[in-house]
Amino acid sequence: MADLRQTLRAFARERDWEQFQTPKNLVMALSGEVGELTEIFQWLTAEESAAVMEGGRSADVEDELADVLIYLVRLADVLGVDLVAAAQAKMIRNETRFPAAAVRGQATRSPDRSARDS
Amino acid sequence: MADLRQTLRAFARERDWEQFQTPKNLVMALSGEVGELTEIFQWLTAEESAAVMEGGRSADVEDELADVLIYLVRLADVLGVDLVAAAQAKMIRNETRFPAAAVRGQATRSPDRSARDS
Amino acid sequence: MADLRQTLRAFARERDWEQFQTPKNLVMALSGEVGELTEIFQWLTAEESAAVMEGGRSADVEDELADVLIYLVRLADVLGVDLVAAAQAKMIRNETRFPAAAVRGQATRSPDRSARDS
Amino acid sequence: MADLRQTLRAFARERDWEQFQTPKNLVMALSGEVGELTEIFQWLTAEESAAVMEGGRSADVEDELADVLIYLVRLADVLGVDLVAAAQAKMIRNETRFPAAAVRGQATRSPDRSARDS
């Protein structure tokens, strides 16, 4: 991740693209890439989605996942956020927010829904 | 990243949430989190977006970035994709796709646009 | 739709919000609302999604659909695009792009996929 | 809008695509189209976004707006929601939620932010 962050910094600097990579623009770029990922999965059933890496679009999936990570890492770097540390801290909070005994097997108590309800 | 992946695996397993975490559903969850990030930035000017970590919503930004990484890492794990390796491979291709001399200072030749045109 | 467009114009003008409602910002606002809609559906099975209006979140679904239309109509108005005319023109093109005899019953030939392939 | 709804119904029926057009899948299709719209605007400044219909991508913008409306109308129809009525009802509530005198000229009191705060 640290290597990737350095690669993205150099890539932007060598192209004089730092001027375009405001956090606002990078959020939109991230969102656009997630849109491309969504288009791959939109008509698939749950089962087809689970088998997508065995089909003809596996390289596209990998490519879009790469693009999402690229913009996410670049965005966090521009904002000065330690992405992995933030995720680990969030998971520690999630352990408390969603006690296994209380939410086991319940999709309706999954993070987003409960976060919104609470 | 490897630690985070293991944490997310254990978190899902302990809650019996693996049944809900199909690639299709995880793509939607990722998309929903990017939507929350988008809402934070939607009315900000470019300048305000660059200063967002000095304002009252910095913890929200960090929280949403964490959520995006969490679902991205979990999605890649369920699909069996090595996320960082995929991003590094993509950046090697990007070096060729966007030669610095040809695209310097031009937002219109940035990755998405050119990828679509090519 | 014409009434709604007028209502949104007056709403923005009375609050001096026109300055914030650039096309770029409105695209982000639209995207954020679609993210909220996505969060409602992310853990639902296809069957559960088909029955969502009989459940406890029907008012939320209606609310998010309303928000998506509101930002879409406002965005088109700011851009000077006749939204319904554009959609009708697109459907005439779609009749040719997706001949019923050729694509019947095939999700893989649905609009987005084919558009991308062509 | 009523005509468009009928056109979309017939279009899906003639292609036997109703089986793929679950609410969940249509939410993803809507989201994917908003992603394409986002990609057009992601590197534009506020000023460039305001002038986008005078540039070389005006037809693309119109095309993506059309696609967003198409999936939104189809989704609402499948769900049995009267889209325009829902938006008008929401705007009546918004008149109360955002009194002009209290929020004039303040982006930070715009709908999404306040809705989340309230």
Side-chain angles (χ1 to χ4, degrees), chain C residues 25-50:
Chain C
N25 288 2
L26 287 167
V27 167
M28 293 187 83
L30 174 65
S31 177
E33 294 300 339
V34 171
E36 294 191 34
L37 195 59
T38 297
E39 289 184 348
I40 296 176
F41 286 88
Q42 63 195 13
W43 304 120
L44 304 187
T45 62
E47 294 68 30
E48 288 166 347
S49 87

Side-chain angles (χ1 to χ4, degrees), chain C residues 93-108:
Chain C
R93 293 202 299 282
N94 280 347
E95 284 288 343
T96 311
R97 291 166 70 210
F98 309 106
V103 302
R104 198 183 315 278
Q106 298 175 61
T108 51

Side-chain angles (χ1 to χ4, degrees), chain A residues 43, chain C residues 1 69 72 83-94 97-98 111-112, chain D residues 1 4-5 7-9 11 17 21 26 29-30 33 62-78 83:
Chain A
W43 305 120
Chain C
M1 287 283 276
L69 183 64
L72 179 61
L83 201 53
V84 176
Q88 284 167 330
K90 181 67 182 271
M91 287 310 295
I92 289 170
R93 293 202 299 282
N94 280 347
R97 291 166 70 210
F98 309 106
D112 298 319
Chain D
M1 289 284 276
L4 179 59
R5 192 169 60 230
T7 299
L8 299 178
R9 270 189 212 182
F11 192 87
W17 281 356
Q21 297 186 343
L26 287 167
L30 174 64
E33 295 300 339
E62 202 158 331
D63 202 56
E64 298 308 340
L65 288 172
D67 284 337
V68 174
L69 183 64
I70 285 168
Y71 280 122
L72 179 61
V73 167
R74 184 65 185 141
L75 172 61
D77 190 33
V78 168
L83 202 51

Side-chain angles (χ1 to χ4, degrees), chain A residues 26-94:
Chain A
L26 288 167
V27 168
M28 293 187 82
L30 174 65
S31 176
E33 294 301 339
V34 171
E36 294 191 36
L37 194 61
T38 297
E39 289 184 347
I40 296 176
F41 286 88
Q42 64 195 13
W43 305 120
L44 304 187
T45 62
E47 293 69 30
E48 288 166 347
S49 87
V52 75
M53 298 312 289
E54 298 151 37
R57 303 209 68 191
S58 63
D60 293 339
V61 171
E62 202 158 330
D63 201 57
E64 298 308 339
L65 288 172
D67 285 337
V68 174
L69 183 64
I70 284 167
Y71 281 123
L72 179 61
V73 167
R74 184 66 186 140
L75 172 61
D77 189 32
V78 168
L79 290 171
V81 170
D82 184 331
L83 202 51
V84 176
Q88 284 166 330
K90 181 68 182 271
M91 288 309 296
I92 289 170
R93 293 201 299 281
N94 281 346

